[in-house]
Amino acid sequence: MLMNLKTLDWDDYLCDFFAIPKSILPQIKSSAENYGSINSGCLKGTNITAVLGDQQADLVGQLCWEKGSAKNTYGTGCFLLYNTGNDIVYSTHGLITTVAYKFGNEKPVYALEGSVAIAGAAINWLIDNLQFMEDIKDCEEIAESVKDTGDVYFVPAFSGLFAPHWNATARGLIIGITQYTTKAHIIRATLEAVAFQNLEIVESMNKDSGINLKMLQVSGGMSKNKCLLQMQADLLGIPVIRPSMTETTSFGAALTAGKTIGLWDLKDQKKIPIYNETFYCTITEETRNNKYKKWNKAVKKCMGWDDSSEPIRKPFWKRIGGEPFGLLLTFGLTLSIGYLIYKKYR
């Protein structure tokens, strides 16, 4: 929050703005350095040679080291990071610009980040609140018991929408229900909602970076669901790759630590023995576009529901008193200030 992305040091303006003395802040180090050793316990004397954030470590563990590569973690929410190389790409489509990693004295690698608030949490909601199934393991089987969602769309905006919308007024919406609809359709629509939300983020990343994503690496608890990953490949129109190494976040930290001490080099991905399962797109572009059009229609309908959290976007005179009272009050204040200025400099 306080670091300057260009200098990789504490930003003077931000520190002054928040009244935080730079003297109390620690020195910023790279992701791959010898930070010291553990001084107690069973690991006493072990050097700490890698420090990365959760999603940044997953990016390294998914071997997304090249510009234009990306990974997505499917958990309670979703976190998608897109490698922009040594270039800082400031998003104009609702994403966050961040540092991906920096190995020692090497140039920093940056990323675009997009997050989905509700992913696996929507499945838990179906289990805990609606009792649609007993266990999350049943989700895939039930979803695959129907060929599609029956034109049902579920926008799980339980507490608003995150990237790329950043809309706190949105609330959850299930639309398209008919007498034909069963719980299987709604469960399948829930999985599809996760895939749609990630499609929105990938679309924003493609626009911001100018480089269309060619494939998506995936991890996390929900990535065990083959039905979800097939939906994701269909909606993205690109291969979705799930590695055999499931603990990619820990693996990324381990790879970085090994690089720091010279145990291995991270230049050649082919030397790392990870086997992948790939999901390919199976629908036409026309089908994908039609489904995405309806999803966007549903998203628009769910926005503005919670008036209490509506962002302040009204004109000044409406906010302070509504019309016409607010307009008259503003006009009166303007005249008064103008008269005082006239009297002073007359």
Side-chain angles (χ1 to χ4, degrees):
M1 293 294 290
L2 298 176
M3 188 183 76
N4 185 299
L5 291 177
K6 292 182 179 179
T7 65
L8 301 183
D9 201 353
W10 303 118
D11 188 271
D12 291 329
Y13 175 80
L14 291 175
C15 289
D16 289 342
F17 181 84
F18 290 106
I20 299 176
K22 292 176 69 175
S23 59
I24 69 171
L25 298 174
Q27 182 182 357
I28 297 177
K29 295 281 190 177
S30 76
S31 310
E33 293 188 32
N34 192 333
Y35 285 87
S37 59
I38 300 172
N39 61 11
S40 63
C42 62
L43 295 177
K44 183 177 180 179
T46 302
N47 290 331
I48 300 171
T49 56
V51 175
L52 298 102
D54 186 22
Q55 302 309 319
Q56 284 80 358
D58 192 41
L59 188 75
V60 175
Q62 289 273 22
L63 313 185
C64 295
W65 307 333
E66 294 182 2
K67 182 177 181 178
S69 58
K71 71 87 196 176
N72 192 22
T73 303
Y74 296 78
T76 305
C78 287
F79 300 92
L80 206 158
L81 259 67
Y82 182 105
N83 187 326
T84 61
N86 303 128
D87 301 322
I88 301 175
V89 178
Y90 293 107
S91 177
T92 57
H93 296 88
L95 305 176
I96 297 171
T97 304
T98 186
V99 176
Y101 54 84
K102 183 180 185 300
F103 294 148
N105 294 324
E106 295 179 16
K107 291 183 179 180
V109 173
Y110 295 93
L112 286 169
E113 182 175 7
S115 55
V116 172
I118 304 295
I123 303 297
N124 292 333
W125 178 75
L126 294 179
I127 297 171
D128 300 334
N129 293 40
L130 301 187
Q131 285 80 51
F132 271 18
M133 48 192 157
E134 293 184 359
D135 194 282
I136 197 168
K137 295 178 182 178
D138 302 327
C139 176
E140 184 174 353
E141 182 180 352
I142 297 173
E144 289 187 329
S145 68
V146 290
K147 64 178 182 179
D148 52 38
T149 66
D151 208 32
V152 173
Y153 288 80
F154 177 20
V155 185
F158 296 153
S159 55
L161 290 170
F162 280 14
H165 303 286
W166 298 110
N167 191 299
T169 70
R171 287 297 177 267
L173 172 73
I174 301 178
I175 196 167
I177 295 175
T178 65
Q179 288 179 310
Y180 166 75
T181 304
T182 67
K183 71 175 183 180
H185 293 104
I186 295 176
I187 290 172
R188 190 176 181 95
T190 305
L191 292 177
E192 197 172 70
V194 176
F196 271 124
Q197 291 178 96
N198 288 316
L199 169 59
E200 290 179 324
I201 293 175
V202 169
E203 191 177 63
S204 294
M205 289 180 169
N206 288 342
K207 291 176 180 177
D208 279 332
S209 66
I211 303 174
N212 287 346
L213 189 64
K214 295 180 179 179
M215 60 183 181
L216 180 66
Q217 307 276 139
V218 300
S219 63
M222 285 195 80
S223 67
K224 297 176 182 177
N225 192 310
K226 292 185 177 182
C227 181
L228 168 61
L229 297 189
Q230 185 57 59
M231 287 178 177
Q232 192 69 82
D234 287 342
L235 292 177
L236 290 177
I238 59 175
V240 170
I241 301 171
R242 180 175 64 183
S244 58
M245 163 62 72
T246 57
E247 298 298 333
T248 47
T249 300
S250 302
F251 185 56
L255 284 175
T256 305
K259 175 179 173 59
T260 304
I261 62 175
L263 193 59
W264 45 62
D265 194 350
L266 300 186
K267 292 182 179 179
D268 192 354
Q269 300 178 4
K270 295 180 181 179
K271 291 183 179 180
I272 299 177
I274 294 182
Y275 304 98
N276 300 312
E277 183 175 4
T278 304
F279 297 81
Y280 296 96
C281 176
T282 59
I283 64 175
T284 64
E285 185 176 356
E286 182 182 3
T287 300
R288 180 166 56 252
N289 291 339
N290 288 337
K291 290 173 73 68
Y292 194 33
K293 184 178 179 180
K294 281 208 167 182
W295 165 260
N296 286 323
K297 190 176 179 180
V299 169
K300 288 179 181 178
K301 288 182 180 295
C302 83
M303 292 183 180
W305 186 264
D306 185 6
D307 296 335
S308 63
S309 60
E310 186 175 359
I312 298 175
R313 290 182 180 145
K314 296 179 180 179
F316 172 72
W317 60 84
K318 289 185 179 181
R319 298 204 302 266
I320 61 175
E323 293 186 90
F325 173 75
L327 183 59
L328 290 172
L329 179 59
T330 305
F331 183 67
L333 287 171
T334 303
L335 283 178
S336 300
I337 294 170
Y339 176 74
L340 291 172
I341 294 173
Y342 171 75
K343 290 282 288 182
K344 183 176 181 179
Y345 295 101
R346 184 179 147 174

